[in-house]
Amino acid sequence: MTDRYAVFGNPIRHSKSPKIHGMFAAETAQLLCYEAILAPVDAFEASFRTFVANQGLGANVTVPFKEQAFALCDELSEQAQLAGAVNTLSVLSDGRVRGDNTDGLGLVADLQRQFGSLKGLNILLVGAGGAARGCVLPLLQADIAKLTIVNRTQSKAEALVDIFSQFGNISTLPIEHTAQSYDVIINSTSSSLSGDVPNISSQTIAEDTVCYDMMYGKEQTSFNSWALAHGAKQAVDGLGMLVGQAAQSFLIWRNVKPGVETVLSQLRSEL
Ligand code: ATR
């Protein structure tokens, strides 16, 4: 039987993961199938266990199941442990389930692909929800100089600083007090979904500042429009992060690193 993988979510119909992994498999000549599974909101674990009983080897997990996936794992990577969420499940040869979180590595890989090395950079991370939390450790491990987290609800940014301060130079300040400029500004909030822009000062943008919105779409996101209007050197969206996290999952499962460029241009053309 062909090796079986899947993505679980609710909703799941518009997931790009089957297409991405299908293209990775073709490119790397790996024989596998990858499907999208709609799990009931109250029965993710049962749905995943059924998949495993039917020879499922690994799965991606998306909204709203990443915390439930975390809870069912027998073993967790350090990154998943600290993220408090799992987007990649692997069934080990002894039947135990291992959880990883590749979202942050996907982000860092995409930042490096588009902007070069992050070594020594001063980075502003806007937002302190699940998406931000998943990225903090990979950012700190990319040899950056300093990570500043700001969020509409300041206490959530403080909680992240408490969790991650042992891993690197990380701090927070009230979002309305941002005044200095940064090398990279990453928007992890969902504000662009509603056409909003987080309340950071335009002084965070200098002529060399590059901006990254984890959201993506056919049109420029509201955050990226704002960034470019205030003089950012470049502003890119999160499509590359999506493909990057998938590439990291594929590597975990198949021990082969797929290329991302072909998949990215294909997805971009279909937005
Ligand atoms: P995710 O898992 O996608 O990060 P989340 O955990 O609900 O989702 O977090 C959403 C993030 O976007 C939070 O940082 C939220 O700010 P609050 O913590 O203050 O709620 C932020 N956010 C959402 N809409 C926003 C908006 N219109 N302006 C600024 N921040 C926004």
Side-chain angles (χ1 to χ4, degrees):
M1 186 181 167
T2 311
D3 289 352
R4 196 172 169 218
Y5 298 88
V7 57
F8 288 80
N10 190 330
I12 201 63
R13 204 149 40 101
H14 297 295
S15 172
K16 301 186 193 309
S17 294
K19 169 151 217 159
I20 296 171
H21 284 277
M23 288 186 75
F24 285 165
E27 180 221 317
T28 58
Q30 295 279 305
L31 203 58
L32 58 86
C33 65
Y34 187 110
E35 66 204 283
I37 297 179
L38 177 73
V41 277
D42 57 353
F44 164 70
E45 177 159 2
S47 179
F48 175 69
R49 299 284 182 204
T50 302
F51 168 75
V52 174
N54 289 294
Q55 278 73 51
L57 291 180
N60 285 128
V61 183
T62 185
V63 179
F65 299 128
K66 290 184 186 183
E67 286 79 18
Q68 289 175 54
F70 173 90
L72 69 72
C73 288
D74 301 303
E75 186 181 308
L76 291 162
S77 67
E78 183 186 41
Q79 161 60 10
Q81 188 104 50
L82 285 159
V86 156
N87 79 332
T88 305
L89 293 164
S90 308
V91 181
L92 305 178
S93 53
D94 60 4
R96 288 179 317 124
V97 176
R98 178 178 164 87
D100 272 279
N101 190 315
T102 64
D103 289 328
L105 282 178
L107 169 73
V108 168
D110 198 43
L111 289 169
Q112 290 167 335
R113 185 180 67 84
Q114 306 212 57
F115 304 140
S117 167
L118 303 181
K119 186 172 162 48
L121 298 188
N122 207 352
I123 298 186
L124 180 66
L125 177 62
V126 187
R133 182 167 170 175
C135 292
V136 174
L137 186 65
L139 284 169
L140 291 175
Q141 289 176 339
D143 223 4
I144 66 169
K146 185 170 167 41
L147 185 65
T148 306
I149 305 185
V150 293
N151 191 45
R152 183 173 62 183
T153 309
Q154 163 72 358
S155 58
K156 289 210 242 166
E158 283 164 3
L160 289 189
V161 170
D162 285 346
I163 295 170
F164 290 100
S165 55
Q166 60 180 307
F167 297 99
N169 189 354
I170 177 173
S171 63
T172 179
L173 74 168
I175 193 164
E176 62 279 6
H177 290 178
T178 46
Q180 69 163 105
S181 66
Y182 294 84
D183 299 311
V184 183
I185 305 175
I186 301 164
N187 179 28
S188 76
T189 76
S190 39
S191 59
S192 286
L193 284 179
S194 47
D196 291 338
V197 176
N199 187 26
I200 58 171
S201 162
S202 57
Q203 289 173 24
T204 54
I205 299 178
E207 58 182 349
D208 282 337
T209 302
V210 292
C211 293
Y212 194 102
D213 195 342
M214 290 190 193
M215 297 285 142
Y216 61 83
K218 189 175 172 59
E219 313 297 335
Q220 189 82 264
T221 69
S222 49
F223 174 76
N224 282 351
S225 298
W226 174 87
L228 291 169
H230 288 90
K233 186 171 146 194
Q234 217 183 328
V236 303
D237 73 13
L239 193 64
M241 176 178 172
L242 174 74
V243 179
Q245 62 76 29
Q248 293 292 336
S249 297
F250 195 90
L251 173 64
I252 288 169
W253 294 327
R254 309 300 298 186
N255 206 23
V256 181
K257 183 95 188 274
V260 297
E261 301 283 352
T262 314
V263 180
L264 255 173
S265 40
Q266 176 72 28
L267 291 185
R268 181 70 67 193
S269 73
E270 292 172 1
L271 284 179

